[in-house]
Amino acid sequence: MAVRERPVSGGLAPREETLGSPPNVNRADCPSRGVLEHVTSRWAVLILAALRQRSYRFSELRRQVGGVSEKMLAQTLQTLERDGFIHRDAKPVIPPRVDYSLTPIGHEVAEQVWTLTRWVEGKLDHVLGAREAYDGARET
Amino acid sequence: MAVRERPVSGGLAPREETLGSPPNVNRADCPSRGVLEHVTSRWAVLILAALRQRSYRFSELRRQVGGVSEKMLAQTLQTLERDGFIHRDAKPVIPPRVDYSLTPIGHEVAEQVWTLTRWVEGKLDHVLGAREAYDGARET
DNA sequence: CCGTATCCCTGCCGATACTG
DNA sequence: CAGTATCGGCAGGGATACGG
């Protein structure tokens, strides 16, 4: 997966054309920045991770992801659906039933953010210890 | 504003370790939530990814990460340092020189977010195509 | 049950100016 | 060079009410 490491200069883009240049999150004006922010947004990470193993209905998902409001759940799901990470299946029944699942590409990214969440959970004690050391050294 | 308190089961079968609940990002009140948000925050992702291969000075880092303000760079670096992901090395020279590098644990997380950024860059075209399809189906 | 629409307030973040 | 201090806009996102 050899990736081209370019001498990227960030915000102050010189005279380079943006048409032929490859996507680069380090550039402020690259659309990949937006996609990255969608995926790493507060609720998207948890939603993607939750959907990793099976599909969920709206209210199921809301229970699964602690603390998310209806508004933010709906909004985040829409964004992820628009970007092609989530598939929305609305059954025309009464009462309404809507199932959310991952697309193939959504599953790829979900695996990554899920790994990250598990890693963070595992390192939590380590991090909390580091914080105490940091705060301790700061007080006199 | 009290967060709605529900017996969030987290979906996963509870472990047998009843000595305090293990870290779970799905719980609104779990400290791991905060750590995850630090790591996945807008600038932290890019900063961690940038530091993956070598250390950077403050202004180098600012040039590397396009669009970041001095304030947000300093703020994010402090947060990541406090959580133990970044090491700050201030040399007592004139003019001042401060090098930022990853700690061992920082390197672990940096690899993950870096992989994610590269993945997003690679899938950008796919995502942009999905957006067009989505927006196209919406207008009629 | 599954959302959308509205209000509105918090705090994020950019801009600017200043210090060691 | 490497930050801190302060102000202010504006958008994220919570609460609530309402529609399909």
Side-chain angles (χ1 to χ4, degrees):
Chain A
M1 64 111 109
V3 177
R4 245 169 78 81
E5 290 288 340
R6 310 190 299 100
V8 164
S9 66
L12 295 81
R15 75 274 190 212
E16 278 301 324
E17 78 296 343
T18 50
L19 208 61
S21 57
N24 186 328
V25 290
N26 287 328
R27 301 193 79 118
D29 58 348
C30 182
S32 62
R33 198 56 94 74
V35 178
L36 183 64
E37 281 163 15
H38 289 171
V39 163
T40 60
S41 74
R42 183 177 183 190
W43 300 114
V45 174
L46 302 174
I47 291 170
L48 289 169
L51 286 171
R52 197 181 59 98
Q53 289 197 338
R54 71 177 188 86
S55 66
Y56 281 96
R57 302 179 58 181
F58 186 83
S59 49
E60 276 182 321
L61 211 41
R62 185 149 144 69
R63 277 187 294 275
Q64 188 71 194
V65 179
V68 68
S69 65
E70 285 191 3
K71 176 185 174 181
M72 289 314 298
L73 180 57
Q75 193 175 107
T76 306
L77 283 170
Q78 273 191 14
T79 302
L80 293 175
E81 186 197 0
R82 192 171 104 100
D83 284 358
F85 297 126
I86 278 184
H87 174 66
R88 181 176 184 275
D89 184 20
K91 312 264 171 86
V93 297
I94 297 181
R97 178 193 179 95
V98 184
D99 287 315
Y100 292 94
S101 58
L102 294 173
T103 61
I105 197 180
H107 198 267
E108 287 184 42
V109 73
E111 285 295 322
Q112 298 193 52
V113 299
W114 178 78
T115 302
L116 186 61
T117 61
R118 303 304 298 203
W119 184 89
V120 167
E121 289 170 351
K123 297 296 183 185
L124 180 57
D125 286 345
H126 188 289
V127 170
L128 296 182
R131 281 190 194 164
E132 287 196 24
Y134 182 91
D135 294 342
R138 211 120 282 260
E139 72 183 40
T140 330
Chain B
M1 61 165 63
V3 173
R4 170 168 336 219
E5 203 37 57
R6 308 222 51 158
V8 175
S9 62
L12 300 173
R15 308 264 185 82
E16 294 189 352
E17 41 186 303
T18 49
L19 304 176
S21 50
N24 186 332
V25 290
N26 286 328
R27 304 194 78 120
D29 58 347
C30 181
S32 61
R33 201 56 95 73
V35 178
L36 183 64
E37 280 161 16
H38 290 170
V39 162
T40 61
S41 74
R42 185 179 181 190
W43 301 114
V45 174
L46 301 175
I47 291 170
L48 289 169
L51 286 171
R52 196 183 61 95
Q53 289 197 339
R54 69 176 189 88
S55 65
Y56 281 95
R57 301 178 58 181
F58 186 83
S59 49
E60 276 181 321
L61 211 43
R62 186 150 144 68
R63 261 173 266 122
Q64 189 72 198
V65 178
V68 67
S69 65
E70 286 191 1
K71 177 184 174 180
M72 288 315 298
L73 181 57
Q75 191 174 106
T76 306
L77 283 170
Q78 273 191 14
T79 302
L80 293 175
E81 187 196 358
R82 192 171 103 101
D83 283 359
F85 296 127
I86 279 184
H87 173 67
R88 182 176 184 274
D89 184 20
K91 313 262 170 97
V93 297
I94 296 180
R97 179 191 179 95
V98 183
D99 287 315
Y100 292 94
S101 58
L102 294 173
T103 62
I105 197 180
H107 199 267
E108 287 185 41
V109 73
E111 284 296 322
Q112 298 193 52
V113 299
W114 178 79
T115 302
L116 186 61
T117 62
R118 304 312 284 196
W119 183 89
V120 167
E121 288 170 352
K123 297 296 183 184
L124 180 58
D125 286 345
H126 188 289
V127 170
L128 296 181
R131 281 190 195 165
E132 286 196 25
Y134 182 91
D135 295 341
R138 206 126 286 256
E139 69 168 66
T140 336

